């Protein structure tokens, strides 16, 4: 859907046509793929159910869901993509500095093992300190440590011989102690560390747009994430009642140069 939306937006810009919201384009995409109304509704329902089910588990799904509901702008997904790439590059730089004698190929192998496994505390702390200000950095470190403490305790399979368990309570306690030791080491699965950063960024952006979103919805009469020219002018005046007519016209010429009277939530944020 993202790929289709990007192509569609370029086509609209080229032909001076209005953009669609992500929700509108989801139905355009499904219509092009399946054609039949029953199949379109079935697949749209499946997408929405999937978003509701997996948003807590996967940040990409959470971002898509919020874009679909016009809660954040479409372009935010590129911010998250940049964050992922930056974290990988910072981890590479850290490993290179820690192991200066290793070749790039060796560093890449170590990096790959980190991305598929765990990152050490000194590694994720260094990344956070580089990427965030002091206040946000401290908040993130607390969130990461909380995630480490919440790591599941490994399940112990109890084997039976003649109806007698061969692994007793002492072994289970040992496994729990091993998990506690892992928590004390500060090591965390890379995918979990990355999710903490992505969720933090999403939460911050969502909060930042809170007032903007409420005012947008106040003038979005049909709640479809799209404003007419008159609605958009009302919206701008809600944000800044002191805007002059000339300033308003300048904004309109920038955001709706072809006078389509169709301004999406994402365009308004942009």
């Amino acid at each position: 859907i993202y790929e289709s939306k990007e192509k569609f937006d370029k086509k609209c810009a080229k032909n001076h046509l209005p953009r669609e919201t992500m929700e509108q384009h989801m139905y355009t995409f499904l219509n092009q793929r399946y054609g039949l109304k029953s199949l379109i509704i079935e697949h749209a329902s499946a997408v929405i159910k999937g978003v509701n089910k997996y948003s807590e588990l996967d940040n990409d799904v959470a971002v898509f869901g919020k874009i679909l509901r016009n809660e954040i702008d479409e372009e935010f997904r590129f911010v998250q993509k940049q964050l992922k790439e930056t974290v990988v590059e910072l981890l590479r730089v850290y490993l290179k500095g820690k192991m200066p004698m290793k070749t790039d190929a060796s560093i890449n192998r170590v990096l790959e093992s980190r991305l598929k496994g765990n990152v050490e505390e000194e590694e994720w702390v260094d990344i956070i300190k580089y990427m965030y200000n002091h206040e946000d950095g401290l908040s993130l470190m607390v969130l990461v440590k909380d995630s480490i403490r919440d790591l599941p305790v490994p399940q112990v399979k109890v084997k039976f011989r003649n109806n007698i368990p061969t692994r007793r309570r002492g072994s289970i306690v040992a496994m729990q102690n091993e998990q506690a030791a892992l928590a004390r080491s500060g090591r965390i699965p890379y995918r979990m560390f990355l999710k903490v950063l992505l969720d933090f960024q999403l939460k911050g952006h969502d909060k930042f747009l809170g007032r903007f979103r409420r005012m947008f919805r106040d003038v979005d009469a049909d709640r479809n994430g799209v404003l007419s020219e008159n609605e958009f002018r009302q919206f701008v005046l809600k944000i800044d009642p002191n805007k002059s007519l000339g300033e308003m016209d300048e904004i309109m010429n920038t955001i709706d140069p072809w006078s389509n009277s169709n301004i999406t939530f994402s365009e308004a944020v942009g």
Side-chain angles (χ1 to χ4, degrees):
I1 294 174
Y2 278 157
E3 289 175 0
S4 174
K5 181 71 161 63
E6 285 186 53
K7 293 177 182 177
F8 185 82
D9 285 348
K10 289 177 182 177
K11 182 179 178 182
C12 289
K14 182 179 179 180
N15 295 290
H16 305 165
L17 297 172
R19 280 175 60 174
E20 294 180 330
T21 65
M22 190 63 73
E23 181 184 28
Q24 289 171 335
H25 189 73
M26 178 177 71
Y27 287 98
T28 298
F29 171 80
L30 294 174
N31 181 57
Q32 290 173 344
R33 175 162 289 194
Y34 301 109
L36 294 175
K37 184 177 180 181
S38 58
L39 288 177
I40 293 169
I41 294 173
E42 179 185 341
H43 282 80
S45 176
V47 169
I48 293 168
K49 287 179 181 177
V51 166
N52 293 336
K53 182 175 181 179
Y54 294 106
S55 284
E56 289 294 322
L57 302 175
D58 189 294
N59 183 268
D60 289 334
V61 178
V63 169
F64 179 73
K66 285 186 173 293
I67 292 172
L68 205 62
R69 296 188 296 271
N70 297 301
E71 294 175 2
I72 62 173
D73 51 300
E74 295 173 32
E75 285 67 30
F76 181 71
R77 71 185 193 273
F78 299 119
V79 175
Q80 298 296 71
K81 181 175 182 288
Q82 183 62 53
L83 184 146
K84 295 175 187 178
E85 293 171 355
T86 300
V87 172
V88 172
E89 191 54 37
L90 287 176
L91 184 54
R92 184 197 307 279
V93 170
Y94 181 90
L95 293 172
K96 185 67 175 175
K98 188 178 179 182
M99 298 174 279
M101 303 305 293
K102 286 187 177 291
T103 64
D104 287 345
S106 296
I107 293 294
N108 286 338
R109 285 194 292 270
V110 177
L111 176 63
E112 190 65 22
S113 70
R114 292 288 195 275
L115 301 183
K116 293 180 178 179
N118 299 317
V119 286
E120 303 293 336
E121 182 171 14
E122 59 186 14
E123 295 165 353
W124 60 257
V125 167
D126 186 77
I127 290 170
I128 288 175
K129 285 183 175 179
Y130 185 88
M131 291 183 65
Y132 296 92
N133 62 39
H134 181 70
E135 184 178 350
D136 286 347
L138 289 177
S139 298
L140 274 165
M141 288 180 195
V142 170
L143 290 172
V144 173
K145 289 178 180 178
D146 287 345
S147 296
I148 294 172
R149 279 195 293 270
D150 291 340
L151 284 169
V153 176
Q155 295 296 311
V156 179
K157 291 184 178 180
V158 181
K159 297 181 180 179
F160 287 84
R161 184 179 298 162
N162 298 324
N163 294 324
I164 300 174
T166 59
R167 187 184 292 272
R168 299 188 181 278
R169 179 173 175 78
S171 298
I172 297 175
V173 172
M175 292 292 286
Q176 292 173 335
N177 289 339
E178 181 181 338
Q179 181 64 24
L182 179 63
R184 287 195 298 273
S185 75
R187 197 176 300 122
I188 184 172
Y190 176 79
R191 59 176 178 76
M192 184 179 291
F193 168 60
L194 183 62
K195 186 176 185 300
V196 171
L197 300 187
L198 291 169
D199 286 350
F200 182 82
Q201 192 114 331
L202 175 59
K203 184 178 180 181
H205 190 64
D206 188 54
K207 183 178 180 181
F208 174 74
L209 289 177
R211 180 171 173 270
F212 182 96
R213 187 169 53 239
R214 288 192 297 272
M215 289 190 291
F216 185 97
R217 289 174 176 172
D218 283 345
V219 297
D220 182 14
D222 50 9
R223 297 292 191 272
N224 66 347
V226 178
L227 302 182
S228 66
E229 179 178 336
N230 287 336
E231 288 174 331
F232 184 75
R233 287 178 181 273
Q234 293 174 41
F235 171 63
V236 173
L237 289 175
K238 286 177 76 71
I239 295 176
D240 184 0
N242 297 318
K243 277 280 186 283
S244 68
L245 184 60
E247 289 173 321
M248 184 74 76
D249 289 340
E250 186 177 342
I251 293 172
M252 285 304 308
N253 289 334
T254 300
I255 201 167
D256 188 22
W258 313 116
S259 301
N260 287 311
S261 192
N262 185 100
I263 297 123
T264 67
F265 178 77
S266 291
E267 287 177 312
V269 172

